[in-house]
Amino acid sequence: MAKIGVFICHCGENIGAKVDCTKLAATLGEHPGVAIAVDYKYFCSDPGQESVKKAIRDNNLTGVVVAACSPRMHEATFRKACAEAGLNPYMCEIANIREQCSWVHNDPVQATEKAADITRSMVEKVKRNNNLQPIEVPVTRRALVIGGGIAGIQAALDIANAGQEVVLVEREPTLGGHMAQLSETFPTLDCSQCIMTPRMVEAAQHPKIRLLTYAEVVGVDGYIGNFHVKVKMKARYVDTESCTGCGDCITKCPNKKILSEFDCGLGKRPAIYTPFAQSVPNKPIIDKANCTYFKNGKCKVCVKVCQLNSINFEMQDEFIDLEIGAIVVATGFQVQDNSVYGEYGYGKYKDVINGLQFERLASASGPTSGKILRPSDGKEPETVVFIQCAGSRDPSKGVRYCSKICCMYTAKHAMLYAHKVHGGKSNIFYMDIRAAGKGYDEFTRRAIEEDEASYLRGRVSKVWEENGKLMVRGVDTLLGIPVVIAADMVVLATAMVPQPDAKDFAKTIGIGYDEYGFFNEAHLKLRPVESSTAGIFLAGACQSPKDIPDSVAQASASASKILALFSKEKLEREPVVATNNEATCAGCWGCVLACPYNAIEKKDIVDRSGKVIKRVASVNPGLCQGCGTCVTFCRSNSLDLAGFTEKQIFAEVMGL
Amino acid sequence: MSIQEQYKKRVRELLSSGAVKMVIGYQAGTTADRRRPLFIRTPEEAEKLVLDSACIANLSGYLVTEGLLSDEKSVGIFLRPDGIRSINILAAEAQLNPEQVVILGFDGNDKEVTALQGEKARDFSAIIASIKEHAPEAPRNPQLEQIEKMSPKERFAFWQAEFSRCIKCYACRQACPMCYCRRCIVDSNQPQWVNTSSHTLGNLEWNVVRAFHLSGRCVGCGNCDRACPVNIPLRLINAKMAGEVLGAFDHFAGMSETQEPVLASFKKDDSETFIL
Ligand SMILES: Cc1cc2nc3c(=O)[nH]c(=O)nc-3n(C[C@H](O)[C@H](O)[C@H](O)COP(=O)(O)OP(=O)(O)OC[C@H]3O[C@@H](n4cnc5c(N)ncnc54)[C@H](O)[C@@H]3O)c2cc1C
Ligand code: SF4
Ligand code: SF4
Ligand code: SF4
Ligand code: SF4
């Protein structure tokens, strides 16, 4: 005989104000199989939980229903309490009478009736619950970090320094990401490369880090603790083992007119190249699309100059399979394509550039060796106009959010300009100055007060060319007057947007993303570094626009989550898994195909002589995530889900 | 030589050479316009074979009879294009090995039949592809169009009236080559999702389940429709569901032996954004 205990929580006023909990207890007390039904102000409190435990022991309860808030809040709490009182935790269920009842209804009479229905249906379910034992699965203690910008490098180093193995995958030929392209960094103006390159080298040389550059993750299977990852190693056409990085091939390659991606199109590079002098690894690759040999079948100058025979035009893409326990996604961002701003003349006038291009001009290792020179004629600009929010906070250009870093880097640009071009005049059009952060407001003040940046609050409507000058028409809303400035260079503070392939990539590895393509965190406030998929964590600008300090902080947070996961040898998993009835299975393999976790295998049923008499589906409980997809698919109704069996669900529905 | 005689000869050859152990075809039925299945095991029995425009039943369901193909020997079978599509689905759903099925293909109208060239299901893929291509412009069932014009309420009333006659004999299921499960969901009684008694709710549940289980799988052979003793127009439901999967997923049932079942497969470029 079932002896169910029903515990009805007022949740203070949350439930109590709408649902008559005392009456509800009386109603449920009458229900067949209910041994005890009581209400209390806060069952989740310490005395509340104690009273549940006491009731279990005193009444020899066989099952418990807590009518309270969403199971997402306190299912774990009450299951633990039940276990402490000697009841199998899976004999405890939550009836959600808060989110699904009191919060959404006004009429107390109807709300109380509905609460009774919800609770009763849960009682009917619990009567059919079974004891379940958690499943233990081994944890592969090896982390995968995808993306080798500052966020990825930080996460990899933190995990590796704690003694765990890391595979760091970067799709470009070198580590570094955007930070390697920056000149100096706010708010301290330290040289970006000087603080970045040692990190890159440290990551590459770390004994616990396996670095895979020019590589892409093409498939992720499995689940937390046990991911199977496929990585594509793109052909470099240079054997990194034998190549010493001497660079003879780079100097001799006759095809030197290719626009450098690293220099944002402001400099040139050959067809065999390293993106920049401090690349890690410092071994060249051949740009197949632009290589004369690949295009015309003739050249091979590089092959001739290479003393070590490291160049191999026959090289093919290779695939590596990795066993991984946890993943950090740190794939970063892109700057928005400014051509959406036709009115600002980006792409039309050579001297209208974006912020990242300005970084390259200001960088000592950049195409102008750190001198601020106009791309059109190489002259020093006497007047520069900076346009903030060129993309951000502009729904008409598709970006509603604030990119968070542009106010800061524009102030930085104005300062660098003032330091490098004495007497240069900078004008900054802005909407608001957002400089919240340690030392940030002081930084923008410095640009205004010490480096004489002139801030104009207002938008720019048009940029056009006149007598060799870029005419910038805008409005100064504080004075209420239109302004036209004749400038030598215009710098657009472009929005930070997700990587162009972010959505596809998210689908490949199985995480969620928002309308723009930034990856979704499990909970914006309480779980900001976890993705919605267990075992996959986020770091850096791939989740939302971030500056370096924020990216690094999130990377270290992800690393610490992974180290916690790796601190145990085994992982306990919910026993909510599917099982198959082999007698009724028709072997149609629909479930095999439908299962998003590849958890269903084909199994032969053989007779005594070993002859296959039937082939059926078989669920691997280690892989099954309990999503129930297969159960809904199976036409012969052969699959069932522990903890949510058809009998339980049916009873639940009929109990309404 | 008439097509019937040609095929008789072919059947005799297949059996006497041992290429097949049996041929499933048609013989005369109880009335002049009816045919019944014929299971030919010896060359002599081929004499009984009839092949004419009255041969309309889709015989493919007999192939999944328990144990028939487990000895890995081949079986010959008379099939129209819809029946060949059924073989593709049965193969795609691992119910038979298409290599064991030797097809004696034919097609035609209500007056005469013509032979189709080919032996294995895949030999007929061009014919099937052209049927799919022409599916959108094929004349639509006028009654279906009428039902589509109804308001949801009228439509529900229409179907309730139709289903009210259902006696839960499951003849539609028995006749359908796609209903091969050894235990149908309606026979599962722990819990009893689909009510066994033939009352309004039970009848609705059964017919809705049938429609869903066959959407993307039904080839429109009409076996079920003809089997129904109370003349429920099952062809309308079948045609509607086939049109829906064709429109929504570009899925035409039975295109090939490897076609993925539409309701169990997932494409990355699916337009439903809620899917991760
Ligand atoms: C103009 C400008 C100036 C800035 N100035 C400053 C400043 O002064 N101070 C400051 O704090 N911040 C500054 N920032 C912000 C700073 O650049 C970012 O905060 C930082 O680069 C974010 O690091 P990340 O590792 O998240 O992303 P990224 O630097 O974008 O690195 C991501 C890496 O992942 C790789 N990747 C992407 N997709 C894949 C994939 N599918 N597989 C494998 N690898 C992949 C990329 O190739 C890249 O190497 C500036 C930004 C801009 C645009
Ligand atoms: S869907 Fe059902 S019948 Fe088909 S293989 Fe899976 S368990 Fe068996
Ligand atoms: S419940 Fe079924 S579909 Fe979902 S993971 Fe488990 S086996 Fe796969
Ligand atoms: S549902 Fe009817 S028409 Fe469709 S394949 Fe089955 S028997 Fe043929
Ligand atoms: S054949 Fe007709 S009466 Fe029989 S179960 Fe099917 S729909 Fe109902």
Side-chain angles (χ1 to χ4, degrees):
Chain A
M1 246 303 272
K3 280 195 208 156
I4 313 293
V6 178
F7 302 90
I8 297 153
C9 183
H10 294 229
C11 194
E13 289 286 282
N14 274 302
I15 295 170
K18 286 281 145 57
V19 173
D20 182 342
C21 296
T22 318
K23 187 166 166 216
L24 185 58
T27 315
L28 264 297
E30 302 284 299
H31 191 80
V34 173
I36 169 174
V38 286
D39 61 310
Y40 184 67
K41 208 130 195 102
Y42 288 109
F43 270 116
C44 60
S45 67
D46 214 25
Q49 291 189 46
E50 280 309 317
S51 72
V52 174
K53 288 189 217 168
K54 185 167 181 311
I56 294 172
R57 291 196 198 98
D58 290 353
N59 300 283
N60 279 327
L61 295 181
T62 59
V64 164
V65 172
V66 184
C69 53
S70 157
R72 290 201 65 156
M73 289 294 295
H74 281 309
E75 186 181 75
T77 314
F78 289 112
R79 287 197 164 163
K80 191 162 156 272
C82 288
E84 281 161 11
L87 197 65
N88 183 284
Y90 295 93
M91 299 306 290
C92 166
E93 295 282 356
I94 309 292
N96 181 354
I97 59 166
R98 192 178 78 174
E99 285 83 346
Q100 290 177 3
C101 187
S102 66
W103 276 3
V104 290
H105 295 297
N106 277 325
D107 178 41
V109 177
Q110 287 183 326
T112 306
E113 275 171 23
K114 179 171 167 185
D117 275 344
I118 296 174
T119 314
R120 228 179 280 142
S121 101
M122 253 13 228
V123 171
E124 286 307 310
K125 182 182 181 207
V126 170
K127 283 188 192 168
R128 288 155 184 88
N129 276 16
N130 298 310
N131 289 353
L132 299 175
Q133 305 307 330
I135 298 173
E136 284 200 329
V137 285
V139 179
T140 308
R141 292 185 190 170
R142 182 181 303 115
L144 169 71
V145 178
I146 311 174
I150 183 60
I153 292 176
Q154 181 70 38
L157 285 174
D158 284 353
I159 299 168
N161 285 338
Q164 303 293 354
E165 277 181 51
V166 179
V167 181
L168 175 56
V169 174
E170 166 59 53
R171 73 169 163 200
E172 298 298 328
T174 174
L175 285 179
H178 284 97
M179 193 175 157
Q181 288 173 284
L182 305 182
S183 52
E184 286 161 26
T185 51
F186 65 74
T188 44
L189 289 190
D190 33 11
C191 149
S192 188
Q193 294 223 337
C194 314
I195 53 177
M196 184 62 174
T197 39
R199 289 290 173 101
M200 291 158 55
V201 174
E202 192 186 342
Q205 294 179 348
H206 202 293
K208 288 280 180 188
I209 298 180
R210 177 173 177 199
L211 175 61
L212 305 174
T213 54
Y214 209 44
E216 264 171 68
V217 171
V218 289
V220 174
D221 276 343
Y223 54 95
I224 180 169
N226 297 274
F227 292 108
H228 312 292
V229 178
K230 201 176 224 19
V231 178
K232 175 161 109 180
M233 302 291 297
K234 296 180 277 186
R236 301 175 84 106
Y237 305 107
V238 173
D239 171 30
T240 44
E241 296 283 314
S242 58
C243 166
T244 56
C246 70
D248 285 351
C249 51
I250 303 177
T251 0
K252 294 284 157 51
C253 173
N255 187 357
K256 288 204 165 52
K257 293 262 160 65
I258 304 158
L259 291 181
S260 155
E261 295 84 356
F262 187 77
D263 283 335
C264 306
L266 296 176
K268 304 242 163 55
R269 61 156 174 88
I272 185 164
Y273 72 107
T274 55
F276 59 106
Q278 291 78 24
S279 292
V280 171
N282 200 7
K283 312 273 169 89
I285 68 155
I286 294 180
D287 168 5
K288 189 175 181 186
N290 285 304
C291 162
T292 318
Y293 173 76
F294 276 115
K295 279 203 289 200
N296 307 335
K298 281 204 270 303
C299 180
K300 286 204 175 180
V301 169
C302 49
V303 177
K304 282 175 216 123
V305 297
C306 180
Q307 311 265 339
L308 295 151
N309 284 329
S310 299
I311 292 162
N312 174 6
F313 283 102
E314 307 304 314
M315 210 177 259
Q316 299 291 326
D317 293 349
E318 275 173 35
F319 292 87
I320 309 184
D321 291 305
L322 301 169
E323 299 297 315
I324 295 293
I327 300 175
V328 181
V329 180
T331 51
F333 68 101
Q334 274 309 329
V335 289
Q336 194 186 17
D337 176 7
N338 280 116
S339 53
V340 296
Y341 276 95
E343 62 269 39
Y344 293 169
Y346 186 86
K348 188 161 152 208
Y349 308 126
K350 277 194 167 170
D351 298 330
V352 178
I353 60 173
N354 70 24
L356 206 51
Q357 289 174 310
F358 189 89
E359 294 286 341
R360 294 312 300 145
L361 290 181
S363 167
S365 68
T368 55
S369 307
K371 294 203 187 69
I372 308 291
L373 302 174
R374 311 205 312 173
S376 62
D377 54 10
K379 289 209 186 99
E380 246 180 21
E382 286 163 22
T383 307
V384 178
V385 169
F386 295 92
I387 305 177
Q388 287 194 188
C389 298
S392 310
R393 303 173 67 195
D394 188 349
S396 69
K397 306 291 183 196
V399 174
R400 276 190 284 125
Y401 55 85
C402 164
S403 291
K404 210 175 167 186
I405 56 162
C406 321
C407 289
M408 290 301 294
Y409 77 60
T410 302
K412 171 180 80 175
H413 290 171
M415 282 179 176
L416 295 175
Y417 175 57
H419 300 171
K420 288 173 189 261
V421 179
H422 298 286
K425 178 89 196 86
S426 56
N427 300 279
I428 303 175
F429 283 94
Y430 72 103
M431 282 160 67
D432 301 289
I433 301 178
R434 298 184 164 177
K438 190 168 179 175
Y440 281 20
D441 201 53
E442 298 90 313
F443 185 79
T444 52
R445 299 295 329 159
R446 222 166 88 205
I448 300 169
E449 286 156 16
E450 292 175 23
D451 293 317
E452 294 174 6
S454 150
Y455 274 79
L456 297 150
R457 190 172 203 272
R459 299 290 284 162
V460 170
S461 60
K462 197 168 170 58
V463 178
W464 72 98
E465 212 171 33
E466 207 172 284
N467 302 329
K469 289 276 184 184
L470 289 167
M471 308 303 287
V472 182
R473 180 165 54 217
V475 57
D476 184 335
T477 52
L478 296 181
L479 294 176
I481 49 162
V483 282
V484 176
I485 298 173
D488 301 305
M489 190 156 96
V490 173
V491 183
L492 307 178
T494 324
M496 260 181 147
V497 294
Q499 294 281 5
D501 62 338
K503 291 184 183 177
D504 284 335
F505 178 71
K507 288 178 191 168
T508 304
I509 62 170
I511 59 173
Y513 50 84
D514 68 12
E515 60 183 294
Y516 306 104
F518 288 116
F519 302 142
N520 279 347
E521 55 295 312
H523 190 287
L524 196 52
K525 284 163 277 180
L526 300 179
R527 297 172 65 202
V529 309
E530 289 100 327
S531 77
S532 43
T533 305
I536 305 187
F537 302 85
L538 306 173
C542 60
Q543 180 221 3
S544 67
K546 282 194 190 76
D547 57 17
I548 297 165
D550 282 359
S551 300
V552 169
Q554 199 187 12
S556 292
S558 286
S560 78
K561 295 270 172 192
I562 288 179
L563 292 171
L565 182 70
F566 287 0
S567 66
K568 290 182 229 115
E569 247 168 50
K570 289 211 160 134
L571 208 80
E572 271 202 357
R573 287 240 341 269
E574 288 258 342
V576 176
V577 293
T579 48
N580 188 20
N581 179 345
E582 293 176 350
T584 57
C585 169
C588 72
W589 311 144
C591 55
V592 176
L593 202 66
C595 173
Y597 301 96
N598 295 330
I600 308 183
E601 291 146 18
K602 300 174 185 176
K603 174 177 158 186
D604 290 341
I605 301 214
V606 292
D607 64 10
R608 250 179 287 175
S609 62
K611 188 171 159 251
V612 178
I613 45 175
K614 194 179 169 186
R615 299 193 74 199
V616 294
S618 167
V619 179
N620 178 337
L623 294 175
C624 173
Q625 299 294 297
C627 69
T629 307
C630 57
V631 180
T632 55
F633 179 80
C634 180
R635 285 184 291 269
S636 68
N637 213 25
S638 300
L639 288 150
D640 213 353
L641 194 62
F644 295 90
T645 62
E646 303 224 353
K647 269 192 217 173
Q648 289 170 311
I649 304 284
F650 192 78
E652 208 178 316
V653 175
M654 297 320 266
L656 281 177
Chain B
M1 212 190 318
S2 75
I3 162 169
Q4 178 174 302
E5 293 313 308
Q6 273 173 38
Y7 268 131
K8 268 189 194 165
K9 188 163 158 252
R10 173 110 177 92
V11 169
R12 277 193 288 265
E13 281 165 13
L14 283 172
L15 284 165
S16 47
S17 69
V20 301
K21 64 170 180 181
M22 180 184 8
V23 175
I24 307 175
Y26 305 88
Q27 60 181 319
T30 41
T31 59
D33 57 349
R34 286 192 171 200
R35 301 290 169 262
R36 52 208 286 219
L38 173 66
F39 302 90
I40 314 167
R41 291 183 182 79
T42 61
E44 296 71 45
E45 283 168 345
E47 217 23 66
K48 286 198 215 155
L49 186 84
V50 174
L51 189 65
D52 58 17
S53 59
C55 299
I56 43 178
N58 176 356
L59 303 177
S60 60
Y62 292 112
L63 291 175
V64 288
T65 309
E66 184 139 13
L68 178 64
L69 296 175
S70 55
D71 59 3
E72 285 170 23
K73 291 198 179 119
S74 292
V75 171
I77 184 164
F78 280 83
L79 294 172
R80 289 180 184 252
D82 49 12
I84 303 172
R85 286 165 61 200
S86 302
I87 300 294
N88 279 335
I89 304 176
L90 290 170
E93 294 181 359
Q95 300 305 308
L96 53 71
N97 173 1
E99 300 308 322
Q100 282 175 268
V101 182
V102 176
I103 294 169
L104 298 129
F106 69 102
D107 200 0
N109 49 31
D110 49 10
K111 294 203 179 57
E112 53 175 10
V113 291
T114 48
L116 294 179
Q117 294 308 312
E119 186 178 289
K120 294 288 156 64
R122 72 181 85 89
D123 303 339
F124 302 87
S125 52
I127 299 172
I128 296 172
S130 98
I131 302 176
K132 178 195 172 185
E133 215 162 286
H134 294 107
E137 69 232 36
R140 300 206 62 211
N141 186 315
Q143 204 185 352
L144 189 58
E145 292 197 332
Q146 223 180 339
I147 295 171
E148 281 170 349
K149 285 200 197 95
M150 292 179 182
S151 70
K153 222 169 147 186
E154 288 168 336
R155 200 153 49 224
F156 193 64
F158 171 85
W159 282 114
Q160 246 177 334
E162 291 292 337
F163 294 154
S164 71
R165 298 198 302 279
C166 176
I167 51 170
K168 293 278 190 69
C169 66
Y170 301 133
C172 49
R173 178 184 80 185
Q174 257 17 64
C176 177
M178 289 303 112
C179 284
Y180 52 68
C181 288
R182 285 171 212 206
R183 187 203 53 191
C184 176
I185 184 164
V186 298
D187 300 328
S188 139
N189 58 4
Q190 291 283 344
Q192 185 96 53
W193 284 114
V194 181
N195 228 299
T196 44
S197 40
S198 50
H199 52 41
T200 318
L201 180 64
N203 288 355
L204 181 75
E205 284 171 341
W206 158 235
N207 281 285
V208 168
V209 166
R210 203 196 71 88
F212 270 98
H213 281 190
L214 286 151
S215 47
R217 304 171 69 238
C218 166
V219 297
C221 65
N223 274 14
C224 54
D225 192 90
R226 285 188 296 273
C228 181
V230 295
N231 294 329
I232 296 174
L234 298 172
R235 59 190 170 279
L236 298 178
I237 301 174
N238 299 338
K240 178 71 186 164
M241 296 307 270
E244 293 291 309
V245 285
L246 186 64
F249 308 109
D250 190 33
H251 182 97
F252 187 69
M255 289 290 285
S256 76
E257 303 162 9
T258 51
Q259 185 183 36
E260 290 187 346
V262 69
L263 295 187
S265 52
F266 165 70
K267 295 199 184 82
K268 267 199 190 149
D269 55 5
D270 196 295
S271 56
E272 296 295 355
T273 49
F274 65 86
I275 298 175
L276 275 186

